[in-house]
């Protein structure tokens, strides 16, 4: 609220949304992994911020990732 001390007092009220930049948590976010072809792997990327960050998975080569589940930043991939 902003206020000017006059007679009568004048004031104006406003609302502010505090935005917190995304932060990827070191734990339980996955680290580098090596897996055999044909194996399953579980990767996690846990981030916080305001508004809640959206985690998007993509490959360097642009090929499609066959996602089985992408809830809460966890993805299960069949390689």
């Amino acid at each position: 609220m902003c206020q000017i001390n006059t007679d009568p007092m004048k004031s104006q009220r406003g609302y502010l949304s505090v935005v917190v930049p995304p932060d990827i948590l070191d734990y339980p976010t996955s680290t580098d992994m090596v897996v055999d072809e044909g194996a399953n792997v579980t990767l996690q990327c846990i981030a916080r911020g305001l508004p809640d960050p959206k985690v998007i998975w993509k490959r360097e080569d642009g090929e499609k990732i066959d996602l089985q589940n992408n809830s809460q930043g966890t993805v299960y991939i069949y390689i």
Side-chain angles (χ1 to χ4, degrees), residues 30-67:
S30 302
T31 58
D32 292 347
M33 293 182 200
V34 176
V35 296
D36 294 327
E37 185 174 347
N40 291 323
V41 65
T42 300
L43 303 173
Q44 284 190 309
C45 179
I46 306 300
R48 65 178 170 203
L50 185 63
D52 289 334
K54 180 178 179 182
V55 175
I56 299 173
W57 296 93
K58 52 195 272 190
R59 289 174 46 141
E60 279 186 6
D61 62 7
E63 290 293 318
K64 183 179 182 299
I65 298 176
D66 185 19
L67 302 176

Side-chain angles (χ1 to χ4, degrees), residues 15-42:
Y15 295 93
L16 173 69
S17 293
V18 177
V19 177
V20 178
D23 181 30
I24 296 175
L25 305 179
D26 289 337
Y27 179 82
T29 294
S30 302
T31 58
D32 292 347
M33 293 182 200
V34 176
V35 296
D36 294 327
E37 185 174 347
N40 291 323
V41 65
T42 300

Side-chain angles (χ1 to χ4, degrees), residues 1-3 9-15:
M1 181 164 86
C2 182
Q3 173 180 317
M9 179 193 74
K10 296 181 180 182
S11 67
Q12 184 161 359
R13 190 175 299 253
Y15 295 93

